């Protein structure tokens, strides 16, 4: 089986893992984005479910598995688990013509998929704080002029107003700069994570009445520089230890938690109460 066929089969598997049809946009972007172009030259170190030293390979066909590919060993930075990203893209419902912001772009593999989903009539603003990875991402995405890579933080300053904001690095709180960048009715998806163990992918939708929120699944990511706070981390770690993340229904941006609070941070808290939306 040639690489094109490997990618096509990979796209179908990733779409299926996300509950999408074989002909879906998610299947298409995974089938048409050559992973070997984004992870550097061989050999590659692959990591599966086992917590070990990984497997070193030089066959590009082996990249089309649901595995992590190491990008920077000394920083424990990898290319991300495809099935997790497939599910996230399916949930975000990225459409042609939209503006997407990607924080934690790495070398641009999933950024390229966002670029294909919004199309040339759309726009992607990608942020990567590791300057060498940002340079590689910019080179890898050169054929997509509507995708721009910023070598810097996606946490400080302000971000462009956007329809979709996708974060690929773990934070200990929903950053104000992310919430403020969201257009009304659109979505932020980011990993809320403790320092050790698993946190969860938190989907936040901005509405006129406030922010609807729910966890999609467990998640473990390298930390997002500038988006980690020791006090918030302790609270997040305790909440995930306690469980019941699936009861979260809304995000509040104040310091007045009530009895429905699941997790409380500084200036924000997650509530088990449904957001009251006017119809």
């Amino acid at each position: 089986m040639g690489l094109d066929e490997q990618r096509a089969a990979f796209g179908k598997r990733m779409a299926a893992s996300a509950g999408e049809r074989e002909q879906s946009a998610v299947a298409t972007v995974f089938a048409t984005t050559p992973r070997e172009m984004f992870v550097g030259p061989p050999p590659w170190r692959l990591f599966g479910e086992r917590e070990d030293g990984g497997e070193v390979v030089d066959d590009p066909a082996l990249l089309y598995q649901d595995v992590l590919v190491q990008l920077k060993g000394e920083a424990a930075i990898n290319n991300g688990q495809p099935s997790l990203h497939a599910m996230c893209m399916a949930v975000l419902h990225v459409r042609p013509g939209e503006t997407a912001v990607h924080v934690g772009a790495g070398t641009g593999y999933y950024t390229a998929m966002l670029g294909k989903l919004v199309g040339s009539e759309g726009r992607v603003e990608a942020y990567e704080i590791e300057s060498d990875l940002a340079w590689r991402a910019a080179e890898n995405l050169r054929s997509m002029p509507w995708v721009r890579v910023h070598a810097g933080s996606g946490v400080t300053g302000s971000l462009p107003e956007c329809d979709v904001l996708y974060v690929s690095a773990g934070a200990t709180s929903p950053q104000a700069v992310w919430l403020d960048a969201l257009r009304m009715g659109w979505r932020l998806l980011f990993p809320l994570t403790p320092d050790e163990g698993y946190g969860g992918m938190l989907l936040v939708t901005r509405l006129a009445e406030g922010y609807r929120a729910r966890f999609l699944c467990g998640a473990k990511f390298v930390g997002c520089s500038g988006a980690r706070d020791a006090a918030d981390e302790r609270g997040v770690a305790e909440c995930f230890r306690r469980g019941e993340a699936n009861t979260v229904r809304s995000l509040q941006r104040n310091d007045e938690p009530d009895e429905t609070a699941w997790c409380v941070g500084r200036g924000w808290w997650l509530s088990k109460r449904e957001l009251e939306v006017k119809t």
Side-chain angles (χ1 to χ4, degrees):
M1 185 184 292
L3 276 181
D4 288 344
E5 294 172 301
Q6 293 276 1
R7 288 190 206 103
F10 181 62
K12 290 177 181 178
R13 292 198 306 274
M14 292 303 100
S17 73
E20 295 283 289
R21 295 176 297 104
E22 288 187 353
Q23 296 79 26
S24 67
V26 171
T28 298
V29 295
F30 273 88
T32 60
T33 307
R35 200 177 190 188
E36 64 273 16
M37 286 181 54
F38 293 86
V39 292
W44 302 288
R45 187 176 295 275
L46 310 184
F47 295 88
E49 295 180 356
R50 295 177 303 168
E51 301 258 344
D52 57 20
E55 177 187 9
V56 178
V57 304
D58 58 11
D59 181 358
L62 297 176
L63 298 175
Y64 296 101
Q65 306 176 83
D66 193 23
V67 293
L68 309 175
V69 183
Q70 187 179 72
L71 296 179
K72 289 184 70 169
E74 67 276 16
I77 297 174
N78 61 67
N79 179 244
Q81 185 175 21
S83 60
L84 174 62
H85 288 275
M87 181 196 65
C88 291
M89 290 185 190
V91 168
L92 285 169
H93 299 297
V94 185
R95 295 195 287 255
E98 291 179 341
T99 296
V101 169
H102 188 197
V103 176
T107 55
Y109 181 55
Y110 299 108
T111 310
M113 296 187 193
L114 289 174
K116 291 179 180 182
L117 291 171
V118 303
S120 58
E121 66 271 40
R123 173 182 164 208
V124 178
E125 301 288 343
Y127 295 80
E128 174 51 57
I129 200 165
E130 297 279 339
S131 58
D132 56 333
L133 298 185
W135 181 85
R136 288 169 60 185
E139 288 296 306
N140 292 335
L141 297 164
R142 188 178 292 278
S143 64
M144 305 173 78
W146 62 95
V147 178
R148 183 164 58 168
V149 179
H150 304 265
S153 172
V155 175
T156 58
S158 61
L159 295 175
E161 187 179 50
C162 61
D163 304 297
V164 171
L165 206 158
Y166 185 33
V167 182
S168 299
T172 56
S173 67
Q175 299 293 295
V177 66
W178 299 342
L179 296 170
D180 292 342
L182 276 186
R183 289 180 177 139
M184 202 63 66
W186 281 100
R187 295 174 172 182
L188 159 68
L189 183 55
F190 77 100
L192 183 70
T193 59
D195 290 343
E196 301 292 335
Y198 279 79
M201 292 301 300
L202 185 63
L203 177 67
V204 179
T205 305
R206 184 178 188 179
L207 302 173
E209 296 82 2
Y211 296 89
R212 183 181 287 147
R214 66 182 175 94
F215 284 103
L216 301 181
C217 63
K220 187 176 183 179
F221 276 77
V222 66
C224 183
S225 181
R228 301 198 67 80
D229 173 86
D232 277 346
E233 191 280 331
R234 288 191 292 272
V236 167
E238 176 56 31
C239 290
F240 279 109
R241 274 195 297 269
R242 225 173 30 235
E244 298 188 342
N246 63 331
T247 63
V248 169
R249 293 294 179 269
S250 60
L251 164 68
Q252 307 294 324
R253 296 183 73 181
N254 57 56
D255 286 309
E256 301 171 359
D258 62 21
E259 69 281 358
T260 69
W262 178 78
C263 187
V264 178
R266 294 188 295 177
W268 65 275
W269 51 286
L270 295 173
S271 171
K272 300 176 185 178
R273 185 177 62 240
E274 293 278 2
L275 191 66
E276 295 181 10
V277 178
K278 298 175 183 177
T279 56

